[in-house]
């Protein structure tokens, strides 16, 4: 039966299909493909109904989801899970349902005289069977927001959640099975092998969220079958405090953005750029703000743990490397607690006078560690940002229009929030994505709908249009028409 055959362009993966995991994957993919072949995309009514159902199921499982994420992290702030995973997903669903009928509406396009009274329009049609590979740091949002966009666009979806958050992945699988038929949405859980196999599938689109290095591998794998990719990657997002800006306000907002989810946020400020001579002021205000936000760390439900021992060790390694090279460090532990490494709560750490070449200045940090760099002029600040790959986010604290125009005019980042952090990503109406090494393509709101749609041109020919006369044998009649069209 044709539907049961999956043509993997890479011979390597075809061999691996013998394993149980690959059989699961091929079974899931085949069901989605069969659904597509028999019934095409999801109807507009089904999309709306399914998204409504999905929202209700998320609310129903809210407590279990909060619990699952926390088990996966060791500890994850329940409020942060509700804000950034549950509410963010619900908000995306509600936004999509509210705007879907407008997004779907075909756009009429003008028709040139010779083709009248033919009609032309652009229709937004589903792509087919699309894949989503999601990371662990916001394991619900980063699976369900892309899924919402893909369903809003009428696709069938194969989702591979991160292996680092297995409890959440298992719950997502159960939850989605309540809403969707296996011909509409399938969740495949498992390790990196499974994710690699997904990236080799002949999908109609693949949205990957994760690190830049894995993003490269995913794009390479997808290129075998010419699968178009959206890559939502990471990077080093700067927070620039403009000359003359209120330091207390900037430091507090950077602390809030940096310490949310203990810094394990793709758009967390990665490093601060402070006017030279004001570093001590920044350190002082950052420490005070952190102490107000998190008076305790170890037993504070608001302060999240680092997801795994490996990531915890990696962050300690970044701090050690910088200090060995001569950087100064401030560990902010307001209650002076003894933090057990086994619980993976890492004290917010500021680093300054960090020598260039330190790992903390070259690798994405993804934790509560903030190096502070300084600049003398806005030109120097811009040069520092531009000496690194294009970041996913850029934060600028400034009320001086000339500085804002100068810095935004000469830098590129996936998204920008002025005078705060993270908030551009919370706007359903704004596209979200990276540029350069921080990614390609975007989603959220209408951008997500478009990412998972084909803008298909449709021309309806008319029996009466003059264009029907254009056919061989060419002769005087066509010459007259061409003279009229081209001009003499
Ligand atoms: P990761 O790249 O290690 O893994 C992400 C996903 O890719 C996981 O589901 C994993 O199973 C899968 N994967 C791993 N190796 C693979 C391979 N060779 N082929 C195909 N898939 C593979 O990233 P992570 O540690 O889970 O997440 C952290 C990274 O993600 C950070 O760099 C962060 O900035 C980035 N991120 C980006 C966004 C964004 O929206 N741009 C959001 C969250 C996280």
């Amino acid at each position: 039966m044709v539907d049961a055959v999956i043509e993997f362009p890479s011979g390597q993966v075809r061999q691996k299909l013998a394993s149980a995991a690959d059989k699961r994957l091929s079974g899931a993919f085949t069901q989605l493909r069969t659904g597509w072949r028999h019934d095409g995309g999801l109807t507009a009514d089904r999309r709306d109904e399914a998204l409504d159902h999905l929202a209700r199921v998320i609310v129903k499982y809210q407590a279990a989801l909060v619990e699952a994420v926390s088990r996966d992290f060791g500890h994850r702030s329940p409020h942060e899970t509700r804000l950034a995973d549950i509410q963010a997903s619900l908000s995306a669903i509600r936004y999509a349902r509210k705007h879907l009928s407008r997004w779907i509406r075909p756009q009429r396009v003008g028709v040139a005289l010779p083709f009248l009274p033919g009609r032309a329009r652009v229709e937004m049609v589903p792509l087919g069977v699309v894949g989503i590979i999601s990371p662990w740091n916001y394991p619900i949002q980063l699976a369900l927001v892309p899924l919402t966009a893909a369903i809003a666009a009428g696709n069938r979806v194969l989702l591979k959640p991160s292996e680092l958050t297995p409890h959440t992945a298992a719950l997502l699988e159960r939850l989605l099975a309540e809403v969707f038929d296996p011909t509409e949405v399938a969740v495949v859980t498992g390790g990196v092998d499974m994710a690699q196999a997904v990236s080799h599938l002949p999908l109609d689109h693949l949205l990957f969220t994760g690190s830049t290095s894995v993003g490269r591998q995913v794009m390479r794998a997808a290129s075998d079958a010419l699968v178009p990719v959206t890559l939502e990657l990471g990077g080093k997002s700067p927070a620039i405090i403009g000359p003359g800006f209120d330091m207390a306000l900037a430091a507090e907002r950077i602390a809030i953005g940096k310490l949310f989810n203990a810094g394990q946020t793709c758009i967390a400020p990665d490093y601060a750029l402070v006017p030279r001579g004001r570093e001590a002021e920044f350190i002082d205000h950052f420490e005070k703000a952190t102490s107000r936000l998190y008076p305790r760390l170890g037993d504070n439900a608001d302060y999240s743990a680092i997801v795994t021992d490996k990531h915890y060790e990696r962050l300690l390694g970044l701090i050690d490397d910088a200090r060995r090279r001569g950087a100064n460090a401030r560990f902010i532990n307001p209650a002076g607690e003894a933090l057990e490494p086994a619980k993976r709560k890492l004290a917010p750490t500021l680093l300054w006078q960090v020598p260039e070449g330190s790992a903390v200045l070259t690798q994405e940090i993804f934790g509560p560690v903030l190096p502070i760099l300084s600049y003398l002029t806005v030109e120097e600040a811009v040069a520092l940002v531009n000496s690194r790959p294009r970041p996913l986010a850029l934060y600028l604290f400034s009320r001086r229009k000339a500085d804002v125009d100068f810095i935004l005019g000469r830098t590129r980042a996936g998204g920008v929030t002025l005078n705060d952090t993270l908030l551009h990503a919370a706007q359903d109406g704004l596209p979200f994505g990276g540029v350069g090494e921080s990614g390609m393509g975007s989603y959220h709101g209408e951008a997500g709908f478009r990412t998972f749609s084909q803008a298909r041109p449709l021309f309806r020919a008319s029996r009466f249009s003059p264009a029907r006369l254009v056919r061989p044998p060419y002769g005087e009649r066509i010459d007259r028409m061409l003279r009229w069209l081209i001009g003499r």
Side-chain angles (χ1 to χ4, degrees):
M1 183 175 125
V2 170
D3 282 338
V5 177
I6 301 176
E7 286 157 22
F8 289 90
S10 144
Q12 194 194 359
V13 171
R14 196 181 297 125
Q15 280 164 15
K16 280 199 199 156
L17 268 176
S19 80
D22 287 325
K23 280 188 189 137
R24 234 174 348 114
L25 174 61
S26 70
F29 182 68
T30 301
Q31 279 196 293
L32 295 167
R33 266 275 171 257
T34 307
W36 174 257
R37 287 199 181 123
H38 289 174
D39 301 319
L42 309 187
T43 64
D45 283 349
R46 174 62 189 141
R47 301 177 205 183
D48 184 63
E49 177 202 42
L51 290 176
D52 180 36
H53 192 180
L54 178 59
R56 283 186 281 114
V57 170
I58 294 169
V59 174
K60 181 174 105 181
Y61 280 104
Q62 185 180 172
L65 286 165
V66 167
E67 173 61 24
V69 179
S70 203
R71 278 182 77 187
D72 285 331
F73 271 69
H75 174 76
R76 158 66 101 72
S77 154
H79 284 92
E80 290 180 357
T81 300
R82 286 167 64 204
L83 275 166
D85 273 308
I86 291 173
Q87 168 53 19
S89 303
L90 290 172
S91 179
I93 293 170
R94 289 174 187 142
Y95 189 86
R97 290 189 65 216
K98 183 167 170 207
H99 295 280
L100 189 54
S101 56
R102 181 172 60 79
W103 296 343
I104 289 179
R105 206 174 299 143
Q107 296 295 312
R108 280 196 69 164
V109 172
V111 171
L113 211 57
F115 305 104
L116 283 172
R119 276 174 295 158
R121 66 188 204 179
V122 177
E123 295 178 333
M124 299 305 284
V125 294
L127 295 169
V129 178
V130 301
I132 295 168
I133 299 179
S134 56
W136 52 266
N137 62 324
Y138 294 99
I140 303 167
Q141 181 201 151
L142 296 172
L144 295 188
V145 175
L147 182 131
T148 296
I151 292 295
N155 297 280
R156 294 163 193 275
V157 184
L158 180 73
L159 169 67
K160 160 65 179 77
S162 171
E163 61 283 354
L164 294 193
T165 41
H167 296 101
T168 312
L171 190 52
L172 281 178
E173 187 176 4
R174 231 176 76 202
L175 178 158
L176 288 168
E178 281 192 23
V179 179
F180 295 100
D181 184 84
T183 63
E184 295 175 327
V185 170
V187 179
V188 285
T189 52
V192 169
D193 275 10
M194 179 64 93
Q196 280 174 321
V198 170
S199 69
H200 280 90
L201 284 176
L203 295 156
D204 296 302
H205 193 92
L206 176 59
L207 185 144
F208 167 82
T209 306
S211 57
T212 299
S213 61
V214 175
R216 277 200 183 86
Q217 296 176 43
V218 167
M219 191 167 174
R220 221 171 278 136
S223 72
D224 275 354
L226 285 181
V227 175
V229 288
T230 299
L231 299 179
E232 298 283 340
L233 310 177
K236 296 185 78 61
S237 300
I240 308 171
I241 301 169
F245 195 85
D246 176 347
M247 189 58 87
L249 184 63
E252 182 181 67
R253 292 185 176 177
I254 293 171
I256 292 170
K258 181 68 179 179
L259 301 177
F260 197 91
N261 202 22
Q264 299 165 108
T265 304
C266 54
I267 50 166
D270 186 272
Y271 62 100
L273 262 174
V274 179
R276 196 155 303 150
R278 297 185 71 191
E279 296 94 320
E281 204 186 331
F282 176 79
I283 293 165
D284 184 44
H285 285 300
F286 189 97
E287 182 162 14
K288 283 191 183 131
T290 301
S291 306
R292 282 194 302 274
L293 298 166
Y294 304 99
R296 300 183 61 80
L297 300 172
D299 56 5
N300 184 348
D302 292 344
Y303 194 58
S304 298
I306 303 304
V307 68
T308 58
D309 289 339
K310 201 173 136 209
H311 278 284
Y312 182 78
E313 295 297 331
R314 179 183 62 78
L315 289 163
L316 292 181
L318 289 180
I319 298 169
D320 279 355
D321 171 71
R323 294 182 78 196
R324 264 202 316 275
R325 292 167 187 260
N328 295 310
R330 172 84 47 94
F331 300 98
I332 307 174
N333 183 347
E337 296 157 88
L339 298 170
E340 291 169 54
K343 296 213 166 140
R344 298 192 301 273
K345 292 260 186 124
L346 187 63
T349 304
L350 293 176
L351 296 167
W352 67 101
Q353 288 174 351
V354 184
E356 272 300 331
S358 302
V360 80
L361 295 185
T362 53
Q363 295 174 17
E364 180 182 6
I365 297 172
F366 225 59
V369 179
L370 185 73
I372 302 160
L373 305 182
S374 69
Y375 67 89
L376 214 47
T377 61
V378 286
E379 286 83 354
E380 193 187 345
V382 163
L384 274 162
V385 171
N386 288 340
S387 68
R388 295 177 168 74
R390 290 178 167 177
L392 185 58
L394 183 144
Y395 304 110
L396 173 58
F397 293 83
S398 176
R399 302 202 195 282
R400 295 183 187 170
K401 187 175 178 315
D403 288 346
V404 173
D405 289 350
F406 185 88
I407 293 170
L408 295 190
R410 285 163 180 76
T411 54
R412 284 293 169 275
V416 174
T417 293
L418 285 178
N419 302 331
D420 212 325
T421 57
L422 312 186
L423 298 183
H424 63 284
Q427 315 308 314
D428 290 308
L430 288 179
F432 181 80
V435 62
E437 288 203 13
S438 57
M440 61 181 68
S442 60
Y443 73 120
H444 284 199
E446 187 168 5
F449 172 81
R450 289 185 167 273
T451 286
F452 286 111
S453 299
Q454 183 204 351
R456 184 173 70 183
L458 177 76
F459 179 72
R460 191 182 296 276
S462 160
R463 250 194 294 173
F464 305 108
S465 74
R468 89 200 138 86
L469 303 174
V470 180
R471 60 178 158 210
Y474 302 119
E476 182 49 27
R477 195 183 59 224
I478 302 298
D479 284 339
R480 265 204 315 275
M481 185 190 273
L482 284 171
R483 277 200 296 275
W484 173 68
L485 284 170
I486 298 170
R488 284 170 198 272

